[in-house]
Amino acid sequence: MKKRHFSIVLLIAPAFFVVAQTASAQDPASRPKTAASQPAIAPLPAEYKAIVERIAVHTQAGTDGYRKLSELCDTIGNRLSGSANLERAVEWAVATLKKDGHENVRTDPVEVVKWVRGRESLEMIEPRPTKLHMLGLGGSVATPPEGITAEVLAVPNQDALQELGERARGKIVLFDVPMPVENAERGAGYGTSARYRVMGARWASELGAAAVLVRSATTHSLRTPHTGAMNYFDAKARIPAASVTVEDAAMISRLQAAGHTVRVTLKMEARTEEKLAPSANVIAELRGRERPDEIVVIGGHLDSWDVGQGAQDDGAGCIMAMEALNVLRKLDLQPRRTIRVVLFTNEENGLAGGKAYAAKYADALSMHAAAIESDSGGGAFRGYSASVKDESERPACLARLEQVAGLLGPAGSVNAELGGGGADISPMGPAGVPMLGHRVDMTHYFDIHHTEADTVDKIDPRELDKNIAGLAATAYILADMPGRLGEPDWRRNR
Ligand SMILES: [Zn+2]
């Protein structure tokens, strides 16, 4: 997500889906009050409690989600923008959504950047010859065919890089920056690490470095390198950039501290094609029974990096949206407004899909009641965070979301600490669309993020089903409730 205007978070107890255990959702004394000021708003329609329970019972028996995720990941695999795999995934999604009987299944064409990894390797030459484990960073340029052989200088932060000054010229700079330890709410300290991945090549090139290596963005490593996007921005010199494993980065730093000169050879064939490649956002709908022109978007991104299977990032999020729509249709739950699944393209290295959606539907964004993105993996369901642009809408929005949280579980609460939304839906934020981020336990998210280890077996089928239920229930309520989320005069529509 780009900019957070305001944020609230619904925290939902693990007991969410123990159907029998339902403290009164309408009883304000049963849940903690953390919001500073709440407008007096009418309760949600009483029938929602039974509807949420129907969804929970239905999904407890098992959904088609895990089968779909396995089919996507095992028969198509990873899905980098511009790749044949992503084109096949778009075709697969269209066919699957049509087979499930949804309405207005279609593709919106989007042109995307095509970066190709090519062959790549990293060998340590001194003080002992050995292969190191690496992944080129998305957007990187190639090395010359013979590679770049140079001394490595490891630095623990940006200040240490600046202290190198002229010593960095012609060297390979290694940013050996450990990722801060994760917690279940926020995941790991991804922003800190990702900053070095994105900016490192530009910073090192300013000192005349020949190439840059960055320590992988993870706190638990089994010598698995993590890729991800980098950017040269306005750098005068474009130098190759690659990630190395936590283990190899730490070894290089130890060798350097012990007085050894570390020399490596980096070879990369990476290139960005001059022409953009055709791709598409995939769309399907459950049309609203009363106000079909008002839209609740649910979605994730269909593209992934070119390693692993893109199961967690973001196959799981796409499946949650697809299957939530399927569950509602199977249960014959047709809300007032339309629920629209959007599977965005090119989130990982461009955000062209999210930008194209906001541009194509610019005139209709005022009719978007909410947008929910699932792009945090398949961990245990934790509810939603939210961002609302309009200050005047926030109090009513906060109070409404507290009510929704109350329906989802007895310990639903609201706090104002975390931002909400997701990268793909963020271009809708400036138009005032309330943006919700589907939240899960992220304790282990960054263990496999952007790696060869992001495979289907890492996703727990039962947790996937619970996430599908949570998304289906939330999307239904937001699409069906009498007034739209955050609507200042929502009482008018009761
Ligand atoms: Zn993602």
Side-chain angles (χ1 to χ4, degrees), residues 301 313-314 347-348 375 445:
H301 62 88
D313 187 11
D314 182 28
E347 188 272 348
E348 295 292 3
D375 185 17
Y445 181 74

Side-chain angles (χ1 to χ4, degrees), residues 78 92 103 147-148 157 209 258 297 386-387 430 481:
N78 59 52
W92 171 87
E103 297 144 278
I148 294 172
N157 53 46
V297 165
S387 297
M481 62 191 193

Side-chain angles (χ1 to χ4, degrees), residues 119-446:
R119 288 173 297 179
E120 55 185 17
S121 66
L122 181 64
E123 307 264 349
M124 186 161 76
I125 298 166
E126 286 180 45
R128 74 177 161 102
T130 187
K131 178 186 173 193
L132 301 178
H133 297 265
M134 59 80 76
L135 277 174
L137 296 179
S140 177
V141 296
T143 63
E146 68 278 15
I148 294 172
T149 299
E151 182 180 346
V152 181
L153 295 178
V155 292
N157 53 46
Q158 199 185 351
D159 288 345
L161 171 73
Q162 296 308 324
E163 283 167 23
L164 286 180
E166 266 302 302
R167 284 179 54 214
R169 189 164 299 280
K171 307 292 196 320
I172 296 176
V173 168
L174 164 63
F175 287 106
D176 184 19
V177 185
M179 185 159 163
V181 174
E182 72 276 3
N183 67 57
E185 285 306 319
R186 289 171 176 275
Y190 181 57
T192 307
S193 277
R195 196 161 151 265
Y196 284 91
R197 188 190 73 210
V198 173
M199 305 291 297
R202 184 182 161 210
W203 294 336
S205 71
E206 283 169 1
L207 296 179
V212 67
L213 303 173
V214 294
R215 175 178 173 135
S216 288
T218 188
T219 54
H220 293 105
S221 180
L222 293 173
R223 217 177 177 192
T224 314
H226 296 231
T227 191
M230 57 80 63
N231 200 317
Y232 293 110
F233 298 100
D234 56 354
K236 290 187 191 77
R238 298 187 161 211
I239 61 173
S243 69
V244 293
T245 63
V246 167
E247 290 88 339
D248 290 348
M251 177 184 70
I252 291 170
S253 287
R254 281 195 309 273
L255 286 167
Q256 182 174 291
H260 294 280
T261 296
V262 178
R263 283 166 60 81
V264 301
T265 298
L266 175 66
K267 287 185 184 172
M268 293 172 63
E269 293 181 338
R271 68 178 199 278
T272 301
E273 297 203 343
E274 275 178 28
K275 272 183 65 180
L276 294 175
S279 187
N281 293 332
V282 179
I283 291 176
E285 293 177 346
L286 171 56
R287 294 294 284 174
R289 66 176 194 276
E290 276 181 20
R291 300 182 208 164
D293 293 341
E294 294 186 17
I295 309 288
V296 171
V297 165
I298 59 175
H301 62 88
L302 196 53
D303 68 304
S304 75
W305 283 105
D306 58 336
V307 290
Q309 294 184 322
Q312 170 186 270
D313 187 11
D314 182 28
C318 291
I319 295 300
M320 285 175 204
M322 293 170 77
E323 200 56 20
L325 204 70
N326 203 25
V327 165
L328 294 175
R329 191 174 292 284
K330 279 187 173 170
L331 291 174
D332 221 6
L333 288 169
Q334 184 186 17
R336 274 192 178 81
R337 303 176 187 82
T338 293
I339 299 177
R340 175 183 289 172
V341 168
V342 185
L343 308 180
F344 296 92
T345 189
N346 185 228
E347 188 272 348
E348 295 292 3
N349 57 342
L351 211 62
K355 289 174 185 164
Y357 182 90
K360 182 179 171 80
Y361 298 99
D363 291 344
L365 289 182
S366 63
M367 301 295 275
H368 278 53
I372 308 176
E373 177 149 9
S374 301
D375 185 17
S376 300
F381 181 57
R382 285 182 169 270
Y384 293 90
S385 56
S387 297
V388 179
K389 180 186 174 192
D390 190 333
E391 278 180 41
S392 67
E393 293 181 358
R394 282 177 202 154
C397 185
L398 187 77
R400 257 307 185 214
L401 287 171
E402 262 211 350
Q403 288 180 328
V404 176
L407 281 172
L408 296 180
S413 67
V414 181
N415 72 45
E417 282 178 24
L418 302 177
D424 295 296
I425 61 174
S426 63
M428 292 185 236
V433 178
M435 299 183 296
L436 278 74
H438 183 98
R439 296 194 63 75
V440 303
D441 183 333
M442 293 186 77
T443 303
H444 294 291
Y445 181 74
F446 289 102

